[in-house]
Every structure is written in structure tokens, then in C-alpha cells.
Amino acid sequence: MPCHNGQVTGNGRLVLAGAPIGQVGDVSPRLREALEGADVVAAEDTRRLRRLAADLGVELTARVVSYYDQNEAGRAQELVEILKQGRTVLVITDAGMPGVSDPGYRLTHLAVEAGVTVTALPGPSAVTTALAVSGLASDRFCFEGFPPRKTGDRARRLAALAGEERTMVFFEAPHRLAESLGAMAEAFGRDRPAAVCRELTKTYEEVRRGGLGELAEWAAAGVKGEITVVVAGRAPGEAEPDLGELVAEVERRVAEGERRGQAVAEVAKGAGVPRRELYDLVHRRSATP
């Protein structure tokens, strides 16, 4: 049913449940009650859900369905139909909050359109936990999720963030961490303060702080676990590099006999600008009659 003057008119209830990011003891009493009282539980991983319920001593009487990235679109429509019947559907992902780099957005959007009640059970979040322990400014921040996997796409995304003054929070897979940190060092500067938060709240929790270049070198040896990266924003008033001057510097080096690729790499590294962006500017300048 539609909303009328902003009032929800449906009878169903969608509950987005924050799940522990490491410690079962972080579960709230309200989550226990919700697991026991839901009609349907939509879980990103049904096996992990059952392990969580067993650890909590909760008997699941609800219908349990899978709800993950690959089936989210189709399953969301099915769950909305259940909500329209007046049922309570609880959504829980492997860790953290549904909809924050986890399945949940599509169903929430459809539920709002259908006019059913949408609520949340607050819980641990890797985003805010990492931000809190990073030691970086937390009064203003933005969450950027996972950087693109492809080198060119990632470089363009990070270049677009080079002027961002808010603290930035990213997720990253451990096997791509060193490469991503290197790309961030190239885009934001090697000395830009950052923190790599690994296995937050778990037994082997580790927070490594330093400049992006230093952190990229550390990560090159290999890192395991769940990773959240927090990067300081550009300092207010910090002058942005003059790209025209950087292009001129590259051309000067090339005229003195240095290879163009090496000149671009060194000038870009020193100025803290994306190498690809500077290379493209140099190439366009050289191609202009």
C-alpha cells in the first residue's frame, strides 16, 4: 500500500538487524528477541545465522531464507509480498548493518515504496568502529565502500576524492590491500595519515597507523582478515597541485633526456597526484600541434 502524507499504511514490519562484527557478546538483548519473534529471517549466510543462534541459545522458529548479493533482486520482491501480508521480516548479514556494503538496500527501498514499517536494531559497525579507533578526525567523514578492483577505475575514483576534506573510510579485501594503499598513496600523497584496521573486535585485532606510503610497504608482506581503511581528508587550506606546472616539469625532464614514463612517475609521486592523470595530461599536451 502507498504512503499517505508521509504516514506508513502497511501492516508488515521490516527489521534491519546489526550483527556482531567479531564478538558474539556484542549482541543486544533486542536482537535475541527479534530472532525469536520474527516470522521470516532473511540471512546473508544461513549457516552463520544458525551458528549465531546456537551461540546465543536462541531457538529459531521463523522461516529462514537466504538473502545475498546474487539473489537479492529476486528475493527482495518475494519478501515484500510477505511484508504486505502483515508479517515481520528480519534481515541479518554476516557482520555489521544490512545495506552498508551488504545486502539490504533493495529490500528496504521496495518496502518503503510498499508502505510497510521499516526499522533497525542498532549494532556494531566496522565503519564507525574503525573511525573511532583510527585517531583521525571523526567530526565529518564519508564512507566509500570497496574501491574498484580494476586499476584504471580505482585510479579515477581515488583521483575524484583527492580534494575531499572529510575523513574517508574504505573496505578492502586483504589480498588487494597493498595495491589499494599504493593507489591511495599515489592519489592522496605518501604522507597522508591513515589507519588500517584489521579483525576489529576479534582476538587478533590490529590497528596500524601511518602515512599511506608506509602502510602500503607494510601490507606488501601480506595481510589477513577483515580490513577497514581510514584515510585523513585533505587538510583545509592545503594547496592543490598546479597540474600545468607539473606537466611543464615533466616536459623539462624529458627534454634533459629522462624517459617520459619515469619522469611522470617521479613528478606525480612527489606532488601526490595520480600518475595516470598526469600522464594523460602530458600525452595530450605533446599531441597538440
Side-chain angles (χ1 to χ4, degrees), residues 85-238:
Q85 298 169 14
R87 305 290 183 84
T88 295
V89 174
L90 185 143
V91 178
I92 187 167
T93 51
D94 289 351
M97 203 70 194
V100 181
S101 280
D102 276 332
Y105 163 73
R106 288 186 176 88
L107 175 56
T108 300
H109 181 73
L110 290 175
V112 169
E113 285 191 333
V116 299
T117 298
V118 178
T119 188
L121 299 180
S125 167
V127 176
T128 51
T129 302
L131 181 66
V133 301
S134 69
L136 300 174
S138 58
D139 53 334
R140 297 175 65 236
F141 73 95
C142 58
F143 174 56
E144 292 294 327
F146 284 90
R149 296 185 181 185
K150 294 183 178 179
T151 302
D153 292 341
R154 180 174 57 223
R156 283 187 286 274
R157 173 76 62 80
L158 295 175
L161 292 169
E164 176 60 67
E165 294 186 354
R166 294 172 295 179
T167 300
M168 296 168 281
V169 183
F170 301 86
F171 287 161
E172 188 51 288
H175 62 280
R176 288 195 296 270
L177 179 62
E179 188 176 355
S180 282
L181 288 171
M184 290 177 188
E186 185 175 309
F188 308 145
R190 288 181 52 84
D191 296 329
R192 178 75 69 89
V196 176
C197 305
R198 187 179 71 85
E199 295 289 89
L200 285 169
T201 79
K202 301 177 184 176
T203 302
Y204 297 104
E205 174 180 295
E206 179 182 17
V207 180
R208 177 76 62 143
R209 304 175 182 87
L212 282 168
E214 173 191 345
L215 291 172
E217 293 169 1
W218 161 75
V223 178
K224 295 181 179 180
E226 299 285 337
I227 305 293
T228 306
V229 180
V230 186
V231 182
R234 185 173 68 88
E238 180 182 327

Side-chain angles (χ1 to χ4, degrees), residues 27-50:
V27 166
S28 70
R30 290 184 63 204
L31 178 54
R32 294 173 183 267
E33 295 171 4
L35 286 170
E36 293 172 338
D39 297 304
V40 177
V41 176
E44 184 177 14
D45 187 324
T46 57
R47 289 172 299 181
R48 288 194 180 187
L49 167 66
R50 295 188 187 282

